[in-house]
Amino acid sequence: MATGSAGFKVRPSIRLFAVCFLVGMIGTTGRGQNNTSNSSVRPVVNVGALFTFNSTIGRVATLAIEFAVEDVNKDTSVLAGTRLNVIKQDTNCSGFLGTMEGPQSSGIGHVISHVVNELHVPLLSFAATDPTLSSLEYPYFIRTIHSDYFQMNAIADIVEYYGWRKVTAIFVDDDYGRGGIAALGDALASRRAEISYKAAFPPQADINMITDLLLKVNLMESRVFIVHVNPDTGLTVFSIAKHTGMMNSGYVWIATDWLAATLDSTKPVDPNTMSLIQGVVVLRHHTADSDLKTGFLSRWNNEIKSSSTSSSLNTYGMYAYDSVWLVARAIDQFFRQGGEIVFSKDSRLHDANGSTLHLEALKGFDRGDQILEQLLLTNFTGLSGDVQFDSDRNLIHPAYDIINIGGTGSRLIGYWSNYSRLSVVAPEILYGKPPNISTSSQQLYSVIWPGETMMKPRGWVFPNNGKPLRIGVPNKVSFKQFVSNDSGTDNVSGYCIDVFNTALKLLPYPVPCSFILIGDGLTNPNYDELVHMVAQNNLDAAVGDIAIVRNRTRIVDFTQPYVESGLVIVAPVKKTDSIAWAFLKPFTLEMWCVTGAFFLFVGAVIWILEHRINEDFRGPPREQLVTICWFSLSTMFFAHRENTVSTLGRFVLIIWLFVVLIITSSYTASLTSILTVQQLSPGIKGLDSLISSSDPIGYQAGKFSRNYMIEELNISPSRLVPLNSPEEYARVLELGPKGGGVAAIVDEIPYVEIFLSIYCQFQMVGQEFTKNGWGFAFQRNSPLAEDLSTAILSLSESGDLQRIHDQWLARKGCTSEVTETDTNRLSLGSFWGLFLICGLACFIALLVFFIRIYCQYNQYNTGESTETRTSDGPQPSLSIFNCCKRLIHFFDKKEEEVMRAISGKSSDKKNETSQN
């Protein structure tokens, strides 16, 4: 075992086969000769590389690998003392050779990866972008280029950015093509878009086969084509597309990175080639500008001038160059840690049944897992940028340039990265900023589309197959103002049909359609089934009085609502005749009681405040009681004849008269309403009484109201009675629940308004308890839904929508807008604030009055108490009865007498003081 200058042991000739193109080849190994006898021989590490030399990628990879090997062997810091040698094998695009000697494509890579898993030989690929080649299934497979998973997400973001909902995928029918398109389908689905058609052709398809395929997709709806094919045959697709007129205005072509590789490899590009791809949007692997990249590009161009190499540098060449450096650095670290490359036989590998494959010659790599670990840990900056793997074994910072082909060249219109998505700023600049992937932050420069137009293509047309749109229309039995077919199946009419046809006329393109009646005409069809027919592609759309509800929006797309709607309750009502006691109806019993009590209370308060100073409130007890009642009741009519003298009395009276004014005015208004408006009393008061009752409930057959009452209101299905016509509505409401009818009907407002305009003996009760609208249903992601929504808004703004409404739905006959007696009765709750203010005023006035009485009583009683104690000596205190008697007697005195007595006693006391 020889020792290199770096101080680690190597064998003089070691053959390690790793993958440098696509998925690479099986790692066959050969033991080198032991170099103990001749230490002057420089050790060699052989790395195998299989690819098609004469291909777009192969021509670039050949020179890139040679440059990389040359640079590695010149760098003394890597594999010091050991020479790297790459053994290249041309597979000549042969699948057989690829399988026997190494993978030629992603499909063959799947097979070979199973073999190298057994041999523990790491395989590197700088060109296998198939997302299904995952490290979970193939642990010894390492992709040194970004997976098509990221490229397809970039395309999906572009589709979303321009608002397209459907695309057609044109791809080669192999593992590379199928894997990429599967990833595209997943990416589009997460953005509410889809692949409407997958147009696949075999790898060896001829011109006639591709022509037939393009003619077929040209008959379909989508005009957004995603082309994911091999670099060497992809231009054939565009040549045929141009010849068949598919590169004109209205078409969108997006090509994956294969086209960028083709154009970058051929500079200058042939003008004939450029004429085929005018307006195409192309993706290319993004490689950041650097001094290393600039120097390498200059070196490449010099090589082209001095040698027979004719291919210009593309991104695959950069990834091939970096892959060689990755292998060299990983082996270097492996050796520095004392590793040895040793192969041994596997007893499980042997020929069976006379086979001559000589499987026993295959040997496993004993330290393959260690080399694999070093490969994944390697981190350096190469031509393509940062070479570093994440936890999923993907290169970090996947990014793409977005290019628009035009004229004799191309221009950059933006970038995509999984860090910031679409942007006009280079990804390496955005890595230093917080990520921002909001919709508003997405940006691209303008694009020149096929046909040399800058106007964004609509992205779809009606299928050019002679088939009109299949429009389902409910074959209704009732409410034919909305949808009717009295003249035959092809001549449907009605409000909904008029709105639809008028909106179609506003579209900038013709829409051929055929109306198909759904239902037998004997009963109303089920509208949920009608919507499901659209979702299952049995119909292209459904037009009619179709409510936009939650469960339907999950399976179809609706237009902007053209009618506002919601569920309401219709109930039978009975007329209430006026009675002799109708004058008591304006107030509730509680209100009458409180009002009467306050009349007497305020009268008593005024009497208390005025009794000592006002002659109108004095006299015998019976007369005073009459005065209190008369005064309190006469204030109702502002006819009281007694004048108030005291300030406190006037204060209370002013507030009370204000309260009386409000009460009498409200009473008059309520009584007027009760006596002049026809009174109707429904049995069902609203939603709560409907739910709590056990009576049958009617609904319009086929409409969503049945499911709503069962699922949202928890009403038993046994209570629900389907009805088909306004005549049935009236009949079952008149019968009532006891006569075999229903207590109420739950239906949408537009139907109820028509019903009540004819049958005046019914009414809507309660409030509208749902909010929705009617719209036209289309299949998911149908562009017609969006265009018709815009047309409906235009109809609304111009007034045409209201005109159509008035033409079909103008209300005739009587109306059923009624009020209930109970809603006009005034309760205490409406006036408790007034009573509170009045009560507080009375309390404050009485409090001030009694404080004043108490002070006067003390002054009046002081002299008398002193004389009694002086003349009689100490005596027991007076009884409570005597005190109250004296207090009442004092209260009954006129205030004038009391004040005169107090003044006299004060003068006597002063005289006694002066004599002493």
Side-chain angles (χ1 to χ4, degrees):
M1 189 73 64
T3 303
S5 59
F8 48 81
K9 296 180 178 180
V10 296
R11 296 181 183 274
S13 180
I14 302 172
R15 298 178 64 195
L16 172 65
F17 285 80
V19 180
C20 290
F21 176 69
L22 295 179
V23 185
M25 63 170 287
I26 294 180
T28 58
T29 65
R31 295 181 182 273
Q33 300 294 327
N34 197 318
N35 199 36
T36 55
S37 60
N38 186 3
S39 59
S40 62
V41 179
R42 186 181 180 185
V44 177
V45 174
N46 291 323
V47 177
L50 273 84
F51 52 90
T52 301
F53 291 175
N54 189 24
S55 66
T56 299
I57 297 177
R59 286 187 290 270
V60 176
T62 300
L63 185 57
I65 292 174
E66 292 176 359
F67 280 171
V69 172
E70 179 181 343
D71 292 344
V72 168
N73 290 330
K74 286 181 180 179
D75 193 335
T76 58
S77 64
V78 179
L79 293 176
T82 302
R83 184 171 61 88
L84 179 68
N85 182 41
V86 174
I87 303 174
K88 298 184 292 292
Q89 176 67 44
D90 187 2
T91 60
N92 293 315
C93 293
S94 170
F96 176 76
L97 287 177
T99 303
M100 294 296 100
E101 301 178 355
Q104 160 66 21
S105 64
S106 294
I108 302 171
H110 284 275
V111 178
I112 302 304
S113 294
H114 286 291
V115 178
V116 298
N117 284 345
E118 297 295 329
L119 300 178
H120 297 175
V121 177
L123 292 101
L124 282 71
S125 171
F126 57 82
T129 56
D130 178 9
T132 61
L133 284 167
S134 67
S135 58
L136 294 177
E137 185 178 3
Y138 307 112
Y140 281 85
F141 170 78
I142 299 177
R143 193 194 324 268
T144 59
I145 194 171
H146 297 298
S147 167
D148 277 341
Y149 167 83
F150 301 106
Q151 181 171 209
M152 297 308 170
N153 272 272
I155 293 176
D157 278 338
I158 295 174
V159 171
E160 182 185 33
Y161 177 79
Y162 288 108
W164 300 314
R165 307 292 290 276
K166 294 183 178 182
V167 304
T168 296
I170 302 174
F171 62 99
V172 61
D173 192 11
D174 59 10
D175 286 295
Y176 157 76
R178 289 190 297 267
I181 297 305
L184 175 63
D186 294 339
L188 290 173
S190 66
R191 295 160 176 82
R192 292 199 63 188
E194 65 176 349
I195 301 175
S196 59
Y197 184 72
K198 296 180 179 179
F201 59 86
Q204 305 301 325
D206 57 20
I207 294 179
N208 293 331
M209 189 177 296
I210 297 176
T211 301
D212 293 341
L213 184 67
L214 292 183
L215 291 176
K216 182 177 181 180
V217 301
N218 197 35
L219 296 176
M220 298 181 180
E221 177 180 305
S222 175
R223 283 295 181 263
V224 181
F225 301 114
I226 312 299
V227 184
H228 185 56
V229 296
N230 292 319
D232 298 286
T233 58
L235 288 176
T236 305
V237 174
F238 286 105
S239 176
I240 298 173
K242 182 175 177 62
H243 179 72
T244 55
M246 296 175 65
M247 298 300 295
N248 297 328
S249 178
Y251 290 85
V252 177
W253 291 87
I254 301 176
T256 54
D257 65 294
W258 67 267
L259 181 55
T262 301
L263 298 179
D264 290 343
S265 300
T266 309
K267 290 186 177 180
V269 183
D270 185 357
N272 293 329
T273 299
M274 296 299 295
S275 67
L276 302 176
I277 54 176
Q278 293 294 300
V280 177
V281 175
V282 187
L283 272 69
R284 177 176 59 196
H285 290 277
H286 175 73
T287 56
D289 292 333
S290 64
D291 294 338
L292 180 62
K293 178 180 174 181
T294 303
F296 187 82
L297 183 59
S298 176
R299 177 184 176 188
W300 188 283
N301 292 333
N302 292 334
E303 182 67 21
I304 292 177
K305 295 176 181 179
S306 61
S307 67
S308 59
T309 302
S310 60
S311 180
S312 299
L313 180 64
N314 59 35
T315 54
Y316 285 95
M318 299 181 191
Y319 284 108
Y321 181 89
D322 289 344
S323 297
V324 175
W325 270 100
L326 175 62
V327 172
R329 291 176 183 273
I331 297 176
D332 179 63
Q333 288 298 317
F334 175 74
F335 285 154
R336 290 179 185 275
Q337 295 176 7
E340 294 186 16
I341 299 178
V342 178
F343 293 86
S344 60
K345 291 185 178 181
D346 190 339
S347 59
R348 296 173 298 174
L349 299 176
H350 57 84
D351 294 334
N353 299 327
S355 172
T356 58
L357 292 177
H358 301 291
L359 294 178
E360 67 278 0
L362 295 175
K363 298 178 181 180
F365 186 16
D366 294 348
R367 304 290 178 86
D369 55 341
Q370 296 179 17
I371 290 287
L372 178 65
E373 181 181 2
Q374 292 301 324
L375 287 167
L376 296 175
L377 292 176
T378 301
N379 179 6
F380 67 98
T381 300
L383 289 178
S384 59
D386 293 333
V387 180
Q388 181 181 352
F389 297 95
D390 59 19
S391 58
D392 295 325
R393 296 189 180 183
N394 292 317
L395 285 177
I396 64 172
H397 299 158
Y400 293 87
D401 298 335
I402 304 175
I403 302 168
N404 180 212
I405 307 298
T408 58
S410 61
R411 63 190 185 94
L412 186 68
I413 62 172
Y415 305 90
W416 181 93
S417 70
N418 67 335
Y419 185 80
S420 60
R421 296 173 60 182
L422 298 178
S423 173
V424 294
V425 180
E428 55 270 17
I429 297 176
L430 296 176
Y431 292 146
K433 301 178 180 180
N436 184 7
I437 58 174
S438 62
T439 303
S440 59
S441 67
Q442 305 301 289
Q443 185 179 3
L444 291 175
Y445 291 122
S446 59
V447 176
I448 299 176
W449 303 100
E452 297 184 358
T453 177
M454 297 186 68
M455 180 179 297
K456 185 198 77 171
R458 192 168 67 243
W460 67 279
V461 294
F462 282 98
N464 190 19
N465 51 17
K467 297 181 180 179
L469 286 181
R470 302 163 298 172
I471 308 295
V473 177
N475 192 5
K476 294 177 64 66
V477 178
S478 59
F479 299 106
K480 293 193 174 183
Q481 297 92 335
F482 299 104
V483 177
S484 173
N485 67 311
D486 293 337
S487 301
T489 58
D490 294 332
N491 297 314
V492 291
S493 60
Y495 170 67
C496 302
I497 304 300
D498 266 12
V499 173
F500 178 74
N501 288 333
T502 306
L504 283 184
K505 294 177 181 178
L506 297 181
L507 299 182
Y509 46 85
V511 182
C513 57
S514 173
F515 293 109
I516 302 173
L517 289 176
I518 306 300
D520 56 12
L522 303 177
T523 58
N524 288 335
N526 187 296
Y527 280 64
D528 284 336
E529 294 180 359
L530 175 61
V531 172
H532 274 284
M533 292 178 68
V534 176
Q536 295 169 0
N537 198 28
N538 296 321
L539 295 171
D540 296 310
V543 172
D545 46 343
I546 305 171
I548 304 173
V549 293
R550 180 179 55 191
N551 64 319
R552 296 173 183 172
T553 58
R554 295 171 178 169
I555 58 176
V556 297
D557 285 344
F558 280 95
T559 62
Q560 172 82 12
Y562 61 91
V563 170
E564 291 185 359
S565 182
L567 291 179
V568 293
I569 301 171
V570 179
V573 295
K574 60 181 180 180
K575 186 174 181 179
T576 304
D577 297 328
S578 297
I579 59 176
W581 303 100
F583 68 90
L584 295 176
K585 291 290 186 179
F587 288 164
T588 62
L589 178 60
E590 183 184 36
M591 182 65 181
W592 277 118
C593 293
V594 173
T595 303
F598 256 85
F599 270 107
L600 297 176
F601 173 69
V602 172
V605 171
I606 297 296
W607 178 83
I608 292 173
L609 298 175
E610 295 289 327
H611 174 69
R612 300 180 71 231
I613 61 176
N614 194 336
E615 289 294 338
D616 291 339
F617 291 89
R618 297 188 65 81
R622 181 179 296 178
E623 183 178 339
Q624 294 182 47
L625 182 61
V626 172
T627 299
I628 292 174
C629 295
W630 166 254
F631 179 83
S632 60
L633 294 177
S634 64
T635 57
M636 182 186 302
F637 310 102
F638 304 96
H640 51 284
R641 63 187 179 187
E642 295 81 6
N643 294 323
T644 51
V645 178
S646 67
T647 302
L648 292 176
R650 290 175 177 176
F651 169 69
V652 171
L653 183 60
I654 290 174
I655 294 179
W656 173 243
L657 291 178
F658 175 75
V659 174
V660 170
L661 175 64
I662 299 299
I663 291 176
T664 54
S665 300
S666 301
Y667 174 86
T668 303
S670 180
L671 181 62
T672 302
S673 176
I674 291 173
L675 295 178
T676 58
V677 178
Q678 182 186 28
Q679 298 301 309
L680 300 177
S681 177
I684 299 295
K685 306 294 183 181
L687 182 61
D688 292 337
S689 60
L690 181 71
I691 296 175
S692 60
S693 71
S694 58
D695 296 330
I697 304 171
Y699 69 94
Q700 187 179 165
K703 302 296 288 185
F704 81 98
S705 52
R706 180 182 188 276
N707 290 340
Y708 182 86
M709 287 188 284
I710 295 174
E711 297 172 2
E712 302 296 334
L713 304 182
N714 296 318
I715 295 176
S716 172
S718 61
R719 294 178 56 192
L720 304 181
V721 180
L723 306 170
N724 284 291
S725 66
E727 293 75 19
E728 279 193 75
Y729 283 21
R731 181 177 60 82
V732 296
L733 285 174
E734 289 174 347
L735 290 174
K738 295 182 180 179
V742 298
I745 292 175
V746 174
D747 207 348
E748 297 175 75
I749 289 179
Y751 306 120
V752 172
E753 288 178 344
I754 293 177
F755 173 71
L756 294 182
S757 68
I758 303 173
Y759 297 94
C760 305
Q761 65 270 36
F762 310 106
Q763 72 168 20
M764 284 190 288
V765 296
Q767 301 294 322
E768 178 184 357
F769 54 92
T770 65
K771 289 285 187 181
N772 51 44
W774 292 354
F776 306 130
F778 289 86
Q779 294 181 11
R780 296 283 285 184
N781 301 324
S782 172
L784 254 182
E786 181 178 348
D787 288 354
L788 270 180
S789 294
T790 304
I792 291 172
L793 288 175
S794 299
L795 288 178
S796 178
E797 293 172 356
S798 65
D800 289 339
L801 193 61
Q802 184 63 42
R803 179 186 56 77
I804 299 173
H805 178 276
D806 295 341
Q807 176 184 347
W808 287 96
L809 306 179
R811 300 184 63 174
K812 302 175 181 179
C814 62
T815 61
S816 301
E817 296 179 0
V818 297
T819 58
E820 300 180 25
T821 301
D822 288 343
T823 62
N824 292 325
R825 301 191 71 183
L826 303 174
S827 64
L828 180 62
S830 302
F831 299 96
W832 70 268
L834 288 173
F835 288 126
L836 177 63
I837 294 173
C838 185
L840 288 175
C842 292
F843 174 78
I844 294 172
L846 290 175
L847 180 63
V848 173
F849 175 78
F850 283 119
I851 292 175
R852 183 181 176 188
I853 289 293
Y854 177 77
C855 294
Q856 290 179 357
Y857 179 74
N858 285 339
Q859 294 176 5
Y860 177 81
N861 198 39
T862 300
E864 184 178 342
S865 298
T866 304
E867 293 175 358
T868 302
R869 287 193 297 270
T870 303
S871 61
D872 299 338
Q875 295 182 3
S877 59
L878 297 175
S879 65
I880 297 176
F881 176 76
N882 291 332
C883 291
C884 291
K885 185 176 180 181
R886 293 178 63 188
L887 182 60
I888 294 173
H889 178 69
F890 173 80
F891 177 76
D892 194 48
K893 288 180 177 290
K894 285 187 175 183
E895 186 173 356
E896 182 181 354
E897 297 177 3
V898 173
M899 296 305 295
R900 189 166 46 246
I902 293 174
S903 178
K905 290 180 180 181
S906 178
S907 299
D908 293 343
K909 186 175 181 181
K910 290 181 179 180
N911 292 334
E912 290 177 1
T913 303
S914 62
Q915 291 176 1
N916 293 335

